[in-house]
Amino acid sequence: MNPTLNPLLRRYRAPAGYLLLAVLAYLLPYQLGSYDMHVLDTAFVFGILAIGLGIVMGIAGQINLAQITLMGVGAYTTAVLTTQENYGFWVAAILAVLASGLVGLIIGVPALRVQSHYLGIVTLGLSLAFTDWVTTSTLAGSGSGISGIPVPPLGGIDLSDDYLYYYLELVVFVLSLAFGLFVVRTRLGRRMRAMRDDPLAAGSGGARIPVLRMTAFLLAGLYGGVAGVLYAGLIRFVAPETFSTADMFLLLAMVVIGGRQSLWGCVIGALALSVVQDELTDLSTYAQLGYGIVVVITAVVAPTGLAGLPGRIRPLIRRQREQPALAPFQPYPATAAARETATGRELLRLDAVTMRFKGLTALREVSLSVGAGEIRGIVGPNGSGKTTLFNVISGLYQASQGTVSFADRHVHNLRPYRLSDLGLSRTFQNLRLFRELTVREHVMVGLDRTRPGWAWRYAIWPVGVWRAERRLGAQADELLDRYGLAGFAKATPYALPYGIQRRVELARAMAGEPRLLLLDEPAAGLNATEKAQLVEIVRSIRDHGTTVIIIEHDMGLVMSLCGKVTVLAAGQVIAEGAPADVAANPSVIEAYLGRAAAPRQTDAAEPAPSKTKEPTV
Amino acid sequence: MSTAVAAPPHTRQLRVEDLSVRYGGVRAVESVSFSIAPGEALGIIGANGAGKTSTLRALMGLVPRAAGTVRYGERNLTKASAHTMVRHGIGYVPEGRHVFSGLSVEKNLLLGGYSRGWRKANQEALDGVYARFPVLAEMAGRPAGALSGGQQQMLAIGRALMPKPSLVLLDEPSMGLSPKLVEEILDILTGLRAAGLSLLLVEQNAELAFGATGRCLVMENGRVVMEGDVARLRADDRVQRSYLGL
Amino acid sequence: MQVFLQTIVGGLNLGAVYALVALGFALVYRTMGLVNFAHADVLMIGAYIAATFTVSQHLPFAVAVLASIVITGVIGLFIERFLRPLEGRDFDLMLIGTIGFGIVLESVATLIWGATGEAVPSPVQTRPLVVFGASVPTYDLVVMGVAVVAMLALSLFLERTRRGVAMQAVAMDYDAAKAVGINVGRSNAIAFAIGAGLAALAGALVGPELYVSPTMGGSIGIDGFAAAILGGFGSIPGAVVGALAVGLLNSFSADYFQGYADLATFVLFAVIVMIKPTGLFGEKTVLRA
């Protein structure tokens, strides 16, 4: 194949594809009979609803078994306002979407306190409560539903015609999908996905988990409302049966089979299943059996659904190109900030911090002072409280007693995201990466320092979001180059070798240019070369202006890297000082080996080492 | 005192060859080999992260063994799954005790003898454990989670002794215990040796290992870097350097 | 007063059924880490089997119930095989996988027994008892009595027998359980079978009170699930207490709120779960975001 043709094809592949789809979509009604048209119209409604479920469940990871209820709220509100309050259709529609959004927020409130099966049962319960209400309340037609919803007026176009309604739906659908994809592929979606994959790491990186959850449910509500409005305009009759739990499970099946983490997958799943379900109404029980089996198989074998299949098949059929390699680290340029930190002002201070859990005192009156520009080592035997110390500093635990000050501010009861705002960053002992995010996205999450109020721009000024996205991408690329990760930009972390995963976590932690970086056993599992690289990187990080505290077991590493070392044993500080001094300290030796220093082999001529010296602490 | 494990002295040797463990991309243990003669006590010491616990867990079958063979007596246990090990006479005291915290002390002990039966089959062994650890007899009805660290450690050891094993694997029994309790652990281990049990003791506390065993391996970064009699190792300051990175 | 007592009796009756369902859920979750949304459909299968034996085969009710428990328990062993890959996994997948399996059970039931369902005559034909002015159908007492016996039997099994205590141990510490020689895979399968048996018992008992149909599992399942959660998911005594609470809640809601009973119940439930997310007896921690 002509090599110069390839890049051209690649560049126009996506727009050409969209154009083709657009043409097909325009021509489709001409091919279909009126019954099929109606089926397709209904399918599109579910497609929009599925996008909402995809966002809240697939992207943000929140179980929402009340998604169909949100459609019900939209449809019923439209119905009630048009038939009983005589509002115009479109006015009612806007109010209905707002109402659904509000109900979405209400349903989301439990998500602030509980997750997984608790959230599942609560949302399911609320969904039943809604069904209950519409079946009983006279306002909602007491179980027989509301009929006589007016045809939506649109200039001279008769929207009672399914063919013409299709075009209305198509426009709404395309806008909904486009907005959904826009959210998913920019910072809001990325933060939600980070929250889904590891809420702890996301929170420690600055994400406001509660706000993100509520935003997800709000979006679910809005999409549900739009779907409900379209449904009301299409069928012009609403009844409780359409919003039953059986339909909720059908929607769930659509989203899972299609691939819940991909909006395209949700949409394809919804369209496909609606059509299939209709085709098989005569064989409905066998159809039901069939898709029950498909759902089980999908959950067990292909959790990423249809949309995830290409990603899983591709590595199997395509020959491995040469493996990308880790490029060398490019040291940070020396900056003015580095000069500032060289003053050695106190940056972090712990005063008599005690941490008690049920029956266990993990930290006992620990006092610590770290100056700006230091690389401080925290060492100690297994179970001495080192990671607990980090968890207290980074806000994951609240100290039972004592205070923590960061940059002259009392911070000991602040949440992790607040500490992140103040310039604290950390890595984790057991490596917390975002399973489904690419390496580039990891770094973008780290770079993203915007506050939650920013999310309003999605509604008001999307162009700003787009421009910021491009800037963020450019910064990410720079950072990837610096850390030698450019070759891995598009890879997901858990497929990568361990040493590279560690590098990714480090790059993510440094992306926000923190003032203080906590590294929890960064060398665990690394080989000698990788450890040497780590030393180089940490030194450059310090020279760039970030103070580093590092927990490590590899004493050789600690020796070469740290200016000062604090030794913890059984939750207390037993020694502090230069590494060589600390290593010779008898209390330290005893804490590690369980005994005093080994008596040295001496010649007769050498004087015996004095044992009368007091141990230095 | 030795009624609990008064089985006739056994003649089974443990032979481990070329054992490796890999977690994801990390080589936690690389090609470790050792053997334990009947009645011998072997220690594995080393700094944190050296791979000692992974070695023990792989031996027990709790993590997949990437390579290597494990033979005990005439049996080849390389492919044996974890829950069959106890039937071959191998007892296990996990790192961090791992008692069944919601169950009573007595039920914990009876579960130790699960492979033999329930109350009737284990009564004699139970009496023996209570004789060896009187504090467990006192707390027999209390939930295991209410015991102190030292008591839980005794419970974990007692539980492992119930099926009258011939080899006991212990993973850092001194962790989190005060020096006084560590002394008690040493006494217990000495007692077990005297009763003819083989021991494999993984410890960060080198002093305890030297006191309880006759021979030790020193591990670093997943490999065995030193091996020898306790007397020699005690005097060798390379051990100290290995721990303290000097 | 009479009405009040009546409502309580009704609530206890419901509570007894929910308790059997909730116990099955709790047992399976505790031992296997599986949240089984198909549990209610297992109940439905149990109800159908008992109904078939009673109505078609004219067996005595008690025998039919026992047969149903045994057969469903065996089916449970096979179901566990299929659901094993989902254990301990991502919750979304468990949810969807088990729901899918529930749909399969419903379709199979429809194919075997038809979609219309059947009515099972009450096995107890005596007149209702009158206690303090409240009319207590005798069958209600039978249901409550059987439920109590089942709970006691389960407790005895879990606390006093070798396999039962081992089952608890597996739930507490997987690796230590293996180290003492417990075959955890087999223990889990048996736990699941017992859970299925309990569901079948609930279904068989409730058959004469409700209409046996392929979709009958729906609301009982949700209430049973809610009961297990209220009690603290995974706690056995919690499941019982939660079940009684949900039963009484449902009964009183039906009385005071009539048509809006479900609404009242679930709003209240949502509020309770949010106030005490770990449930009455549970230990699960809430993440500090």
Side-chain angles (χ1 to χ4, degrees), chain A residues 425-443:
Chain A
S425 186
R426 70 170 291 179
T427 63
F428 295 88
Q429 187 177 12
N430 49 356
L431 200 66
R432 305 192 82 113
L433 295 174
F434 304 122
R435 179 168 296 274
E436 305 288 335
L437 267 65
T438 64
V439 168
R440 189 166 185 264
E441 286 173 325
H442 274 76
V443 168

Side-chain angles (χ1 to χ4, degrees), chain A residues 413-432:
Chain A
N413 60 353
L414 289 187
R415 289 279 159 89
Y417 67 80
R418 289 286 294 129
L419 286 161
S420 171
D421 289 342
L422 291 172
L424 184 79
S425 186
R426 70 170 291 179
T427 63
F428 295 88
Q429 187 177 12
N430 49 356
L431 200 66
R432 305 192 82 113

